[in-house]
Amino acid sequence: MAAKKAQEKTYTVSNPATFEPVATYPLMSPGEVDQAVKRAKAAFPSWSQSAISQRQAILKRAAAVLAENAAEYARQIAAENGKTAMDAMLADIFSTAHLLSHYGKKLGKYLAPVKVEGTLLFPGRKTYYVFEPKGVVGVISPWNYPFTLSAGPVISAVAAGNSVVLKPSSQTTRSGLIVKEIFVKAGLPPDVAQVVTGSGSHTGDALASHPGLDMLFFTGSTEIGNKINVKAAERLIPVIMELGGKDVAIVTKNADIDRAVSGTAWGAFTNCGQTCIGTEIILVDKSIFTLFAEKLARHAGGIKTGMGCGEVGAMTMDSQFRLVIEQLEDAVAKGATVLAGGKPEEGRTGRFFPPTVLTGTTPDMRVRTEETFGPLKCLIPFDTVDEAIAIANASEYGLSASVYTRDPKEGKALAARLKTGSVNINDALVTYAVPSLPFGGVKKSGIGRYHGAIGLQAFTDIKSVTEFYWPLKREFFWYPIPKETETLFPHLMVMMFGQKAADKLKAAGSAVRVAAGSLAARL
Ligand code: NAP
């Protein structure tokens, strides 16, 4: 985490591109987390009863606040994360405004009661289910897309009528505070969405362990996600886990090579490669491999590092920076070749790492088995698409993937075979940015989904309701059970579940006769 000081009561965040201090924040204690959860609990009854139209107005106003302050917020996010302001604008701010506006429009539809078909056994009932807020949702978010990955779950939780306590990554505390700021400016009661600041092991652990939470939403590494999942399981509270990934892009012989080169490079290097759904392994059909490799080497080699528009920013965390160097050294020592990029420039201030592509990697190399989460990528040829799918599905992760082909039939067939939470055909990262598409992973990449209708309803408890107002004193199977009921059920069974039409018709006649007699007795 960022540097601590003054008996660990505060911590200071430094800019990864300049190493200059950006801001100092309180390192909140378990007691302060407890107070925040209690305030959130007290705010819940009133907010959970708020009209959908009131929530929609707040969501739309929050989108407007974000839009009006976008450039300044992008600057602040970039300063603590090390990404370029353009990366912050595109992936953090634009996508969040889009989600706010989407739920601002669709909330009534997504949370409307759902009428369902009843059954013959219970005639006259209205049958439907409703979505009710859960209570207090704890949200713990990472540093890589520090604003959108904090805002997304907070927006979903608040829109569904919950109150929230958010613990952003200590490195990117300001991004979490912006989430609260836009909501308060939009008119949300302040205790409905609160932020606790501090490190994961101290403040984050206190939040994840708090008995007052009704749900936990975690975005981060699979390792910490596992630990938090165990804590939630002990208290039997639901979780959504958005965890690590090792995404592949499959480029078939039918691909538009130029689009595949640009798409895989963008998917690989945007946000300095620190993207959970970023492309880590590029699998290319052997028949186009040489041409693809030449073009990718030229393209990736032309992407500069720096803080300007169109450049790749600095890596956020020192630990990640060192991991990328370790994986690169391990791969080269075991025989891999550097096709583009390589080691960071010596003596340069800031954690800048050039977009790097390796060929000749083998499955025993760390870069092939571990999540990299940086601008170091593997380019691998394949003989058949079956081989490409096998490499992709061998991963313990299953977050997202890309397929590049001009043949729609091939694209859909490959997408269906990939064991991932999402697939982009001739694209990269788009599934996250479409607010109506549910987002999340399979295998060790996570549990549950957010975004879209399903992702909003995930922040609610579903209550099934039946309504019945006929003037019957009792049902034909309530005590004392009438004798006719015994006669009725065999007919009813054949009528409802039998296969032959003649038998069903005959049983229906008998059932109606028995039921009519029984009904007369119950009026
Ligand atoms: P991380 O180390 O797991 O941290 C994530 C969050 O958990 C941070 O707020 C961290 O706080 C906090 N934390 C750490 N230890 C904790 C503990 N014992 N109890 C409670 N909270 C704790 O992950 P990261 O390094 O920030 O993020 C990178 C990882 O996230 C990668 O694996 C990436 O693939 C994954 N990710 C997944 C998605 C997705 O949607 N699937 C999206 C983005 C990132 P501090 O930072 O203050 O220590």
Side-chain angles (χ1 to χ4, degrees), residues 128-164:
Y128 58 94
Y129 54 90
V130 294
F131 302 100
E132 296 185 342
K134 286 179 174 292
V136 180
V137 180
V139 174
I140 297 177
S141 58
W143 45 262
N144 63 327
Y145 288 91
F147 180 65
T148 193
L149 296 180
S150 299
V154 173
I155 291 166
S156 311
V158 162
N162 302 283
S163 47
V164 186

PDB file of all heavy atoms in Angstrom, residues 128-164:
ATOM      1  N   TYR A 128     -46.387 -13.811  -8.554  1.00  0.00           N
ATOM      2  CA  TYR A 128     -45.338 -12.905  -9.053  1.00  0.00           C
ATOM      3  C   TYR A 128     -44.184 -12.861  -8.053  1.00  0.00           C
ATOM      4  O   TYR A 128     -44.296 -13.375  -6.936  1.00  0.00           O
ATOM      5  CB  TYR A 128     -45.904 -11.489  -9.275  1.00  0.00           C
ATOM      6  CG  TYR A 128     -46.521 -10.851  -8.054  1.00  0.00           C
ATOM      7  CD1 TYR A 128     -45.768 -10.018  -7.225  1.00  0.00           C
ATOM      8  CD2 TYR A 128     -47.853 -11.091  -7.705  1.00  0.00           C
ATOM      9  CE1 TYR A 128     -46.323  -9.436  -6.099  1.00  0.00           C
ATOM     10  CE2 TYR A 128     -48.418 -10.508  -6.592  1.00  0.00           C
ATOM     11  CZ  TYR A 128     -47.655  -9.686  -5.788  1.00  0.00           C
ATOM     12  OH  TYR A 128     -48.198  -9.126  -4.664  1.00  0.00           O
ATOM     13  N   TYR A 129     -43.065 -12.275  -8.499  1.00  0.00           N
ATOM     14  CA  TYR A 129     -41.975 -12.055  -7.539  1.00  0.00           C
ATOM     15  C   TYR A 129     -41.491 -10.617  -7.627  1.00  0.00           C
ATOM     16  O   TYR A 129     -41.638  -9.952  -8.650  1.00  0.00           O
ATOM     17  CB  TYR A 129     -40.836 -13.063  -7.686  1.00  0.00           C
ATOM     18  CG  TYR A 129     -40.202 -13.212  -9.040  1.00  0.00           C
ATOM     19  CD1 TYR A 129     -39.109 -12.439  -9.402  1.00  0.00           C
ATOM     20  CD2 TYR A 129     -40.675 -14.157  -9.948  1.00  0.00           C
ATOM     21  CE1 TYR A 129     -38.502 -12.594 -10.635  1.00  0.00           C
ATOM     22  CE2 TYR A 129     -40.073 -14.314 -11.178  1.00  0.00           C
ATOM     23  CZ  TYR A 129     -38.989 -13.528 -11.528  1.00  0.00           C
ATOM     24  OH  TYR A 129     -38.408 -13.687 -12.755  1.00  0.00           O
ATOM     25  N   VAL A 130     -40.924 -10.168  -6.498  1.00  0.00           N
ATOM     26  CA  VAL A 130     -40.474  -8.776  -6.399  1.00  0.00           C
ATOM     27  C   VAL A 130     -39.003  -8.749  -5.967  1.00  0.00           C
ATOM     28  O   VAL A 130     -38.485  -9.723  -5.425  1.00  0.00           O
ATOM     29  CB  VAL A 130     -41.336  -7.983  -5.379  1.00  0.00           C
ATOM     30  CG1 VAL A 130     -42.762  -7.849  -5.862  1.00  0.00           C
ATOM     31  CG2 VAL A 130     -41.295  -8.614  -3.995  1.00  0.00           C
ATOM     32  N   PHE A 131     -38.363  -7.617  -6.228  1.00  0.00           N
ATOM     33  CA  PHE A 131     -36.939  -7.445  -5.889  1.00  0.00           C
ATOM     34  C   PHE A 131     -36.823  -6.492  -4.709  1.00  0.00           C
ATOM     35  O   PHE A 131     -37.248  -5.342  -4.803  1.00  0.00           O
ATOM     36  CB  PHE A 131     -36.169  -6.884  -7.088  1.00  0.00           C
ATOM     37  CG  PHE A 131     -36.279  -7.757  -8.303  1.00  0.00           C
ATOM     38  CD1 PHE A 131     -37.172  -7.457  -9.322  1.00  0.00           C
ATOM     39  CD2 PHE A 131     -35.498  -8.903  -8.412  1.00  0.00           C
ATOM     40  CE1 PHE A 131     -37.282  -8.272 -10.437  1.00  0.00           C
ATOM     41  CE2 PHE A 131     -35.605  -9.726  -9.529  1.00  0.00           C
ATOM     42  CZ  PHE A 131     -36.502  -9.413 -10.542  1.00  0.00           C
ATOM     43  N   GLU A 132     -36.258  -6.963  -3.616  1.00  0.00           N
ATOM     44  CA  GLU A 132     -36.138  -6.116  -2.431  1.00  0.00           C
ATOM     45  C   GLU A 132     -34.666  -5.910  -2.092  1.00  0.00           C
ATOM     46  O   GLU A 132     -33.869  -6.855  -2.176  1.00  0.00           O
ATOM     47  CB  GLU A 132     -36.843  -6.781  -1.250  1.00  0.00           C
ATOM     48  CG  GLU A 132     -38.341  -6.915  -1.495  1.00  0.00           C
ATOM     49  CD  GLU A 132     -39.092  -7.468  -0.292  1.00  0.00           C
ATOM     50  OE1 GLU A 132     -38.450  -8.062   0.587  1.00  0.00           O
ATOM     51  OE2 GLU A 132     -40.321  -7.299  -0.270  1.00  0.00           O
ATOM     52  N   PRO A 133     -34.293  -4.692  -1.689  1.00  0.00           N
ATOM     53  CA  PRO A 133     -32.886  -4.465  -1.338  1.00  0.00           C
ATOM     54  C   PRO A 133     -32.456  -5.335  -0.171  1.00  0.00           C
ATOM     55  O   PRO A 133     -33.265  -5.712   0.678  1.00  0.00           O
ATOM     56  CB  PRO A 133     -32.849  -2.983  -0.979  1.00  0.00           C
ATOM     57  CG  PRO A 133     -34.268  -2.555  -0.816  1.00  0.00           C
ATOM     58  CD  PRO A 133     -35.127  -3.504  -1.574  1.00  0.00           C
ATOM     59  N   LYS A 134     -31.153  -5.638  -0.143  1.00  0.00           N
ATOM     60  CA  LYS A 134     -30.655  -6.578   0.863  1.00  0.00           C
ATOM     61  C   LYS A 134     -30.346  -5.913   2.193  1.00  0.00           C
ATOM     62  O   LYS A 134     -30.530  -6.491   3.249  1.00  0.00           O
ATOM     63  CB  LYS A 134     -29.361  -7.233   0.358  1.00  0.00           C
ATOM     64  CG  LYS A 134     -29.607  -8.274  -0.718  1.00  0.00           C
ATOM     65  CD  LYS A 134     -28.304  -8.865  -1.193  1.00  0.00           C
ATOM     66  CE  LYS A 134     -28.516 -10.003  -2.166  1.00  0.00           C
ATOM     67  NZ  LYS A 134     -29.108 -11.204  -1.582  1.00  0.00           N
ATOM     68  N   GLY A 135     -29.802  -4.691   2.146  1.00  0.00           N
ATOM     69  CA  GLY A 135     -29.382  -4.030   3.388  1.00  0.00           C
ATOM     70  C   GLY A 135     -28.099  -3.264   3.148  1.00  0.00           C
ATOM     71  O   GLY A 135     -28.034  -2.418   2.260  1.00  0.00           O
ATOM     72  N   VAL A 136     -27.050  -3.599   3.920  1.00  0.00           N
ATOM     73  CA  VAL A 136     -25.764  -2.903   3.767  1.00  0.00           C
ATOM     74  C   VAL A 136     -24.812  -3.776   2.928  1.00  0.00           C
ATOM     75  O   VAL A 136     -24.564  -4.928   3.283  1.00  0.00           O
ATOM     76  CB  VAL A 136     -25.118  -2.609   5.140  1.00  0.00           C
ATOM     77  CG1 VAL A 136     -23.779  -1.892   4.950  1.00  0.00           C
ATOM     78  CG2 VAL A 136     -26.058  -1.788   6.000  1.00  0.00           C
ATOM     79  N   VAL A 137     -24.314  -3.202   1.846  1.00  0.00           N
ATOM     80  CA  VAL A 137     -23.386  -3.928   0.972  1.00  0.00           C
ATOM     81  C   VAL A 137     -21.974  -3.386   1.201  1.00  0.00           C
ATOM     82  O   VAL A 137     -21.744  -2.175   1.133  1.00  0.00           O
ATOM     83  CB  VAL A 137     -23.777  -3.746  -0.518  1.00  0.00           C
ATOM     84  CG1 VAL A 137     -22.808  -4.499  -1.426  1.00  0.00           C
ATOM     85  CG2 VAL A 137     -25.210  -4.210  -0.771  1.00  0.00           C
ATOM     86  N   GLY A 138     -21.034  -4.268   1.475  1.00  0.00           N
ATOM     87  CA  GLY A 138     -19.623  -3.881   1.572  1.00  0.00           C
ATOM     88  C   GLY A 138     -18.985  -4.045   0.194  1.00  0.00           C
ATOM     89  O   GLY A 138     -19.170  -5.081  -0.444  1.00  0.00           O
ATOM     90  N   VAL A 139     -18.269  -3.011  -0.257  1.00  0.00           N
ATOM     91  CA  VAL A 139     -17.603  -3.075  -1.568  1.00  0.00           C
ATOM     92  C   VAL A 139     -16.105  -2.843  -1.365  1.00  0.00           C
ATOM     93  O   VAL A 139     -15.710  -1.866  -0.726  1.00  0.00           O
ATOM     94  CB  VAL A 139     -18.164  -2.003  -2.536  1.00  0.00           C
ATOM     95  CG1 VAL A 139     -17.366  -1.986  -3.847  1.00  0.00           C
ATOM     96  CG2 VAL A 139     -19.646  -2.250  -2.831  1.00  0.00           C
ATOM     97  N   ILE A 140     -15.299  -3.751  -1.887  1.00  0.00           N
ATOM     98  CA  ILE A 140     -13.831  -3.592  -1.817  1.00  0.00           C
ATOM     99  C   ILE A 140     -13.320  -3.599  -3.256  1.00  0.00           C
ATOM    100  O   ILE A 140     -13.630  -4.516  -4.020  1.00  0.00           O
ATOM    101  CB  ILE A 140     -13.197  -4.734  -0.987  1.00  0.00           C
ATOM    102  CG1 ILE A 140     -13.727  -4.663   0.457  1.00  0.00           C
ATOM    103  CG2 ILE A 140     -11.678  -4.633  -1.006  1.00  0.00           C
ATOM    104  CD1 ILE A 140     -13.229  -5.770   1.368  1.00  0.00           C
ATOM    105  N   SER A 141     -12.564  -2.543  -3.617  1.00  0.00           N
ATOM    106  CA  SER A 141     -12.220  -2.376  -5.037  1.00  0.00           C
ATOM    107  C   SER A 141     -10.702  -2.242  -5.232  1.00  0.00           C
ATOM    108  O   SER A 141      -9.974  -1.883  -4.310  1.00  0.00           O
ATOM    109  CB  SER A 141     -12.954  -1.162  -5.609  1.00  0.00           C
ATOM    110  OG  SER A 141     -12.620  -0.019  -4.872  1.00  0.00           O
ATOM    111  N   PRO A 142     -10.244  -2.510  -6.469  1.00  0.00           N
ATOM    112  CA  PRO A 142      -8.796  -2.500  -6.751  1.00  0.00           C
ATOM    113  C   PRO A 142      -8.333  -1.153  -7.320  1.00  0.00           C
ATOM    114  O   PRO A 142      -9.114  -0.222  -7.482  1.00  0.00           O
ATOM    115  CB  PRO A 142      -8.675  -3.589  -7.809  1.00  0.00           C
ATOM    116  CG  PRO A 142      -9.932  -3.448  -8.605  1.00  0.00           C
ATOM    117  CD  PRO A 142     -10.995  -2.946  -7.665  1.00  0.00           C
ATOM    118  N   TRP A 143      -7.049  -1.093  -7.686  1.00  0.00           N
ATOM    119  CA  TRP A 143      -6.438   0.160  -8.125  1.00  0.00           C
ATOM    120  C   TRP A 143      -6.368   0.310  -9.631  1.00  0.00           C
ATOM    121  O   TRP A 143      -6.020   1.361 -10.130  1.00  0.00           O
ATOM    122  CB  TRP A 143      -5.013   0.263  -7.551  1.00  0.00           C
ATOM    123  CG  TRP A 143      -4.229  -1.017  -7.687  1.00  0.00           C
ATOM    124  CD1 TRP A 143      -4.057  -1.974  -6.719  1.00  0.00           C
ATOM    125  CD2 TRP A 143      -3.574  -1.527  -8.855  1.00  0.00           C
ATOM    126  NE1 TRP A 143      -3.339  -3.047  -7.208  1.00  0.00           N
ATOM    127  CE2 TRP A 143      -3.021  -2.785  -8.529  1.00  0.00           C
ATOM    128  CE3 TRP A 143      -3.394  -1.045 -10.151  1.00  0.00           C
ATOM    129  CZ2 TRP A 143      -2.313  -3.570  -9.430  1.00  0.00           C
ATOM    130  CZ3 TRP A 143      -2.685  -1.818 -11.058  1.00  0.00           C
ATOM    131  CH2 TRP A 143      -2.163  -3.062 -10.701  1.00  0.00           C
ATOM    132  N   ASN A 144      -6.650  -0.770 -10.403  1.00  0.00           N
ATOM    133  CA  ASN A 144      -6.321  -0.693 -11.839  1.00  0.00           C
ATOM    134  C   ASN A 144      -7.287   0.175 -12.647  1.00  0.00           C
ATOM    135  O   ASN A 144      -6.867   0.963 -13.486  1.00  0.00           O
ATOM    136  CB  ASN A 144      -6.184  -2.096 -12.436  1.00  0.00           C
ATOM    137  CG  ASN A 144      -7.457  -2.900 -12.383  1.00  0.00           C
ATOM    138  OD1 ASN A 144      -8.246  -2.758 -11.451  1.00  0.00           O
ATOM    139  ND2 ASN A 144      -7.679  -3.744 -13.344  1.00  0.00           N
ATOM    140  N   TYR A 145      -8.601   0.006 -12.391  1.00  0.00           N
ATOM    141  CA  TYR A 145      -9.596   0.955 -12.924  1.00  0.00           C
ATOM    142  C   TYR A 145     -10.292   1.490 -11.677  1.00  0.00           C
ATOM    143  O   TYR A 145     -11.419   1.088 -11.365  1.00  0.00           O
ATOM    144  CB  TYR A 145     -10.573   0.264 -13.874  1.00  0.00           C
ATOM    145  CG  TYR A 145      -9.933  -0.099 -15.198  1.00  0.00           C
ATOM    146  CD1 TYR A 145      -9.338  -1.333 -15.400  1.00  0.00           C
ATOM    147  CD2 TYR A 145      -9.903   0.827 -16.251  1.00  0.00           C
ATOM    148  CE1 TYR A 145      -8.728  -1.654 -16.604  1.00  0.00           C
ATOM    149  CE2 TYR A 145      -9.302   0.520 -17.458  1.00  0.00           C
ATOM    150  CZ  TYR A 145      -8.717  -0.729 -17.630  1.00  0.00           C
ATOM    151  OH  TYR A 145      -8.117  -1.041 -18.830  1.00  0.00           O
ATOM    152  N   PRO A 146      -9.608   2.336 -10.933  1.00  0.00           N
ATOM    153  CA  PRO A 146     -10.008   2.587  -9.547  1.00  0.00           C
ATOM    154  C   PRO A 146     -11.346   3.298  -9.411  1.00  0.00           C
ATOM    155  O   PRO A 146     -12.029   3.142  -8.410  1.00  0.00           O
ATOM    156  CB  PRO A 146      -8.876   3.474  -9.022  1.00  0.00           C
ATOM    157  CG  PRO A 146      -8.319   4.139 -10.231  1.00  0.00           C
ATOM    158  CD  PRO A 146      -8.444   3.128 -11.334  1.00  0.00           C
ATOM    159  N   PHE A 147     -11.719   4.040 -10.436  1.00  0.00           N
ATOM    160  CA  PHE A 147     -12.994   4.743 -10.333  1.00  0.00           C
ATOM    161  C   PHE A 147     -14.154   3.855 -10.793  1.00  0.00           C
ATOM    162  O   PHE A 147     -15.093   3.612 -10.041  1.00  0.00           O
ATOM    163  CB  PHE A 147     -12.943   6.048 -11.140  1.00  0.00           C
ATOM    164  CG  PHE A 147     -14.236   6.800 -11.055  1.00  0.00           C
ATOM    165  CD1 PHE A 147     -14.691   7.331  -9.851  1.00  0.00           C
ATOM    166  CD2 PHE A 147     -15.037   6.961 -12.172  1.00  0.00           C
ATOM    167  CE1 PHE A 147     -15.906   8.000  -9.757  1.00  0.00           C
ATOM    168  CE2 PHE A 147     -16.249   7.637 -12.087  1.00  0.00           C
ATOM    169  CZ  PHE A 147     -16.673   8.150 -10.885  1.00  0.00           C
ATOM    170  N   THR A 148     -14.061   3.313 -12.002  1.00  0.00           N
ATOM    171  CA  THR A 148     -15.213   2.553 -12.509  1.00  0.00           C
ATOM    172  C   THR A 148     -15.438   1.261 -11.702  1.00  0.00           C
ATOM    173  O   THR A 148     -16.579   0.857 -11.488  1.00  0.00           O
ATOM    174  CB  THR A 148     -15.080   2.258 -14.023  1.00  0.00           C
ATOM    175  OG1 THR A 148     -16.339   1.814 -14.484  1.00  0.00           O
ATOM    176  CG2 THR A 148     -14.026   1.220 -14.358  1.00  0.00           C
ATOM    177  N   LEU A 149     -14.361   0.646 -11.208  1.00  0.00           N
ATOM    178  CA  LEU A 149     -14.547  -0.603 -10.463  1.00  0.00           C
ATOM    179  C   LEU A 149     -14.987  -0.359  -9.020  1.00  0.00           C
ATOM    180  O   LEU A 149     -15.420  -1.273  -8.328  1.00  0.00           O
ATOM    181  CB  LEU A 149     -13.269  -1.453 -10.512  1.00  0.00           C
ATOM    182  CG  LEU A 149     -12.876  -1.933 -11.913  1.00  0.00           C
ATOM    183  CD1 LEU A 149     -11.603  -2.761 -11.858  1.00  0.00           C
ATOM    184  CD2 LEU A 149     -13.991  -2.726 -12.582  1.00  0.00           C
ATOM    185  N   SER A 150     -14.881   0.904  -8.565  1.00  0.00           N
ATOM    186  CA  SER A 150     -15.495   1.281  -7.286  1.00  0.00           C
ATOM    187  C   SER A 150     -16.939   1.709  -7.540  1.00  0.00           C
ATOM    188  O   SER A 150     -17.864   1.326  -6.827  1.00  0.00           O
ATOM    189  CB  SER A 150     -14.750   2.463  -6.646  1.00  0.00           C
ATOM    190  OG  SER A 150     -13.417   2.123  -6.377  1.00  0.00           O
ATOM    191  N   ALA A 151     -17.111   2.532  -8.585  1.00  0.00           N
ATOM    192  CA  ALA A 151     -18.433   3.111  -8.848  1.00  0.00           C
ATOM    193  C   ALA A 151     -19.445   2.049  -9.282  1.00  0.00           C
ATOM    194  O   ALA A 151     -20.607   2.085  -8.837  1.00  0.00           O
ATOM    195  CB  ALA A 151     -18.319   4.185  -9.923  1.00  0.00           C
ATOM    196  N   GLY A 152     -19.036   1.104 -10.131  1.00  0.00           N
ATOM    197  CA  GLY A 152     -19.986   0.128 -10.690  1.00  0.00           C
ATOM    198  C   GLY A 152     -20.790  -0.600  -9.618  1.00  0.00           C
ATOM    199  O   GLY A 152     -22.029  -0.538  -9.615  1.00  0.00           O
ATOM    200  N   PRO A 153     -20.125  -1.262  -8.663  1.00  0.00           N
ATOM    201  CA  PRO A 153     -20.909  -1.947  -7.628  1.00  0.00           C
ATOM    202  C   PRO A 153     -21.662  -0.986  -6.704  1.00  0.00           C
ATOM    203  O   PRO A 153     -22.760  -1.314  -6.245  1.00  0.00           O
ATOM    204  CB  PRO A 153     -19.860  -2.749  -6.851  1.00  0.00           C
ATOM    205  CG  PRO A 153     -18.530  -2.278  -7.305  1.00  0.00           C
ATOM    206  CD  PRO A 153     -18.698  -1.621  -8.634  1.00  0.00           C
ATOM    207  N   VAL A 154     -21.087   0.196  -6.455  1.00  0.00           N
ATOM    208  CA  VAL A 154     -21.798   1.156  -5.586  1.00  0.00           C
ATOM    209  C   VAL A 154     -23.084   1.618  -6.278  1.00  0.00           C
ATOM    210  O   VAL A 154     -24.160   1.650  -5.672  1.00  0.00           O
ATOM    211  CB  VAL A 154     -20.896   2.371  -5.229  1.00  0.00           C
ATOM    212  CG1 VAL A 154     -21.696   3.430  -4.474  1.00  0.00           C
ATOM    213  CG2 VAL A 154     -19.695   1.924  -4.410  1.00  0.00           C
ATOM    214  N   ILE A 155     -22.978   1.932  -7.563  1.00  0.00           N
ATOM    215  CA  ILE A 155     -24.164   2.372  -8.326  1.00  0.00           C
ATOM    216  C   ILE A 155     -25.235   1.280  -8.288  1.00  0.00           C
ATOM    217  O   ILE A 155     -26.407   1.551  -8.015  1.00  0.00           O
ATOM    218  CB  ILE A 155     -23.768   2.678  -9.797  1.00  0.00           C
ATOM    219  CG1 ILE A 155     -22.886   3.922  -9.868  1.00  0.00           C
ATOM    220  CG2 ILE A 155     -25.003   2.847 -10.678  1.00  0.00           C
ATOM    221  CD1 ILE A 155     -22.177   4.098 -11.215  1.00  0.00           C
ATOM    222  N   SER A 156     -24.827   0.041  -8.546  1.00  0.00           N
ATOM    223  CA  SER A 156     -25.789  -1.064  -8.597  1.00  0.00           C
ATOM    224  C   SER A 156     -26.459  -1.247  -7.238  1.00  0.00           C
ATOM    225  O   SER A 156     -27.681  -1.424  -7.149  1.00  0.00           O
ATOM    226  CB  SER A 156     -25.092  -2.365  -8.987  1.00  0.00           C
ATOM    227  OG  SER A 156     -24.284  -2.162 -10.114  1.00  0.00           O
ATOM    228  N   ALA A 157     -25.649  -1.207  -6.181  1.00  0.00           N
ATOM    229  CA  ALA A 157     -26.193  -1.427  -4.835  1.00  0.00           C
ATOM    230  C   ALA A 157     -27.162  -0.316  -4.456  1.00  0.00           C
ATOM    231  O   ALA A 157     -28.282  -0.590  -3.981  1.00  0.00           O
ATOM    232  CB  ALA A 157     -25.046  -1.493  -3.826  1.00  0.00           C
ATOM    233  N   VAL A 158     -26.771   0.923  -4.681  1.00  0.00           N
ATOM    234  CA  VAL A 158     -27.602   2.071  -4.305  1.00  0.00           C
ATOM    235  C   VAL A 158     -28.876   2.097  -5.153  1.00  0.00           C
ATOM    236  O   VAL A 158     -29.973   2.334  -4.646  1.00  0.00           O
ATOM    237  CB  VAL A 158     -26.772   3.374  -4.468  1.00  0.00           C
ATOM    238  CG1 VAL A 158     -27.655   4.595  -4.525  1.00  0.00           C
ATOM    239  CG2 VAL A 158     -25.756   3.490  -3.338  1.00  0.00           C
ATOM    240  N   ALA A 159     -28.731   1.848  -6.455  1.00  0.00           N
ATOM    241  CA  ALA A 159     -29.899   1.863  -7.342  1.00  0.00           C
ATOM    242  C   ALA A 159     -30.925   0.816  -6.906  1.00  0.00           C
ATOM    243  O   ALA A 159     -32.131   1.033  -6.994  1.00  0.00           O
ATOM    244  CB  ALA A 159     -29.461   1.599  -8.779  1.00  0.00           C
ATOM    245  N   ALA A 160     -30.433  -0.317  -6.406  1.00  0.00           N
ATOM    246  CA  ALA A 160     -31.343  -1.388  -5.967  1.00  0.00           C
ATOM    247  C   ALA A 160     -31.933  -1.110  -4.587  1.00  0.00           C
ATOM    248  O   ALA A 160     -32.730  -1.903  -4.087  1.00  0.00           O
ATOM    249  CB  ALA A 160     -30.608  -2.719  -5.973  1.00  0.00           C
ATOM    250  N   GLY A 161     -31.520   0.001  -3.957  1.00  0.00           N
ATOM    251  CA  GLY A 161     -32.128   0.390  -2.676  1.00  0.00           C
ATOM    252  C   GLY A 161     -31.319   0.029  -1.444  1.00  0.00           C
ATOM    253  O   GLY A 161     -31.820   0.087  -0.321  1.00  0.00           O
ATOM    254  N   ASN A 162     -30.063  -0.371  -1.648  1.00  0.00           N
ATOM    255  CA  ASN A 162     -29.194  -0.716  -0.509  1.00  0.00           C
ATOM    256  C   ASN A 162     -28.390   0.501  -0.064  1.00  0.00           C
ATOM    257  O   ASN A 162     -28.268   1.486  -0.797  1.00  0.00           O
ATOM    258  CB  ASN A 162     -28.184  -1.784  -0.939  1.00  0.00           C
ATOM    259  CG  ASN A 162     -28.853  -3.034  -1.461  1.00  0.00           C
ATOM    260  OD1 ASN A 162     -29.354  -3.844  -0.699  1.00  0.00           O
ATOM    261  ND2 ASN A 162     -28.889  -3.178  -2.780  1.00  0.00           N
ATOM    262  N   SER A 163     -27.797   0.416   1.108  1.00  0.00           N
ATOM    263  CA  SER A 163     -26.749   1.368   1.452  1.00  0.00           C
ATOM    264  C   SER A 163     -25.401   0.640   1.338  1.00  0.00           C
ATOM    265  O   SER A 163     -25.352  -0.593   1.344  1.00  0.00           O
ATOM    266  CB  SER A 163     -26.974   1.978   2.835  1.00  0.00           C
ATOM    267  OG  SER A 163     -27.277   0.980   3.762  1.00  0.00           O
ATOM    268  N   VAL A 164     -24.317   1.424   1.225  1.00  0.00           N
ATOM    269  CA  VAL A 164     -23.017   0.844   0.863  1.00  0.00           C
ATOM    270  C   VAL A 164     -21.892   1.426   1.696  1.00  0.00           C
ATOM    271  O   VAL A 164     -21.897   2.624   1.997  1.00  0.00           O
ATOM    272  CB  VAL A 164     -22.662   1.189  -0.615  1.00  0.00           C
ATOM    273  CG1 VAL A 164     -21.397   0.470  -1.050  1.00  0.00           C
ATOM    274  CG2 VAL A 164     -23.790   0.861  -1.539  1.00  0.00           C
TER     275      VAL A 164
END
